Amino acid sequence: MNRIRRISTELMSTYKGKFDTDFEHNKKILNEVAVVRSKGLKNEIAGYITSYLRRELEEKEAKEEIVAQDETVDDTEEIEEQILN
């Protein structure tokens, strides 16, 4: 797993905008940017990149959701203060 992670991280940092959350797309991009002779290794690398980017996207969406909830709570508190005053 260490080898897969290292290779994937290297490829993602070198070719930042090319990979996305679609496994098939990542396999095609991997064919363009690297020479991977083993089909299994190529699939593992593409799978790792896909899962990594999906996880990042989910974390980003969760953070945005928390911020939106905090803003809603702040707005509600302001309205309550205005009503009380």
Side-chain angles (χ1 to χ4, degrees), residues 2-85:
N2 246 352
R3 177 178 65 161
I4 305 294
R5 187 178 303 143
R6 181 178 46 82
I7 293 170
S8 300
T9 305
E10 241 176 77
L11 287 168
M12 284 188 293
S13 65
T14 306
Y15 302 100
K16 278 188 179 178
K18 291 195 173 205
F19 296 104
D20 65 8
T21 58
D22 180 41
F23 176 74
E24 293 298 324
H25 173 76
N26 288 343
K27 281 195 334 184
K28 290 177 186 174
I29 296 300
L30 199 53
N31 283 333
E32 294 173 10
V33 299
V35 177
V36 182
R37 292 188 181 107
S38 166
K39 180 180 177 181
L41 181 61
K42 178 176 57 178
N43 286 343
E44 285 187 55
I45 293 170
Y48 182 84
I49 291 171
T50 302
S51 64
Y52 180 85
L53 293 176
R54 283 182 183 166
R55 191 170 38 246
E56 268 191 349
L57 183 63
E58 288 173 1
E59 289 173 1
K60 180 181 175 186
E61 289 173 353
K63 286 179 184 178
E64 289 174 356
E65 187 176 309
I66 290 171
V67 169
Q69 288 175 353
D70 287 346
E71 290 175 357
T72 304
V73 169
D74 290 343
D75 292 343
T76 305
E77 289 175 355
E78 288 177 18
I79 293 171
E80 288 175 353
E81 286 179 23
Q82 289 175 358
I83 291 173
L84 293 174
N85 292 331

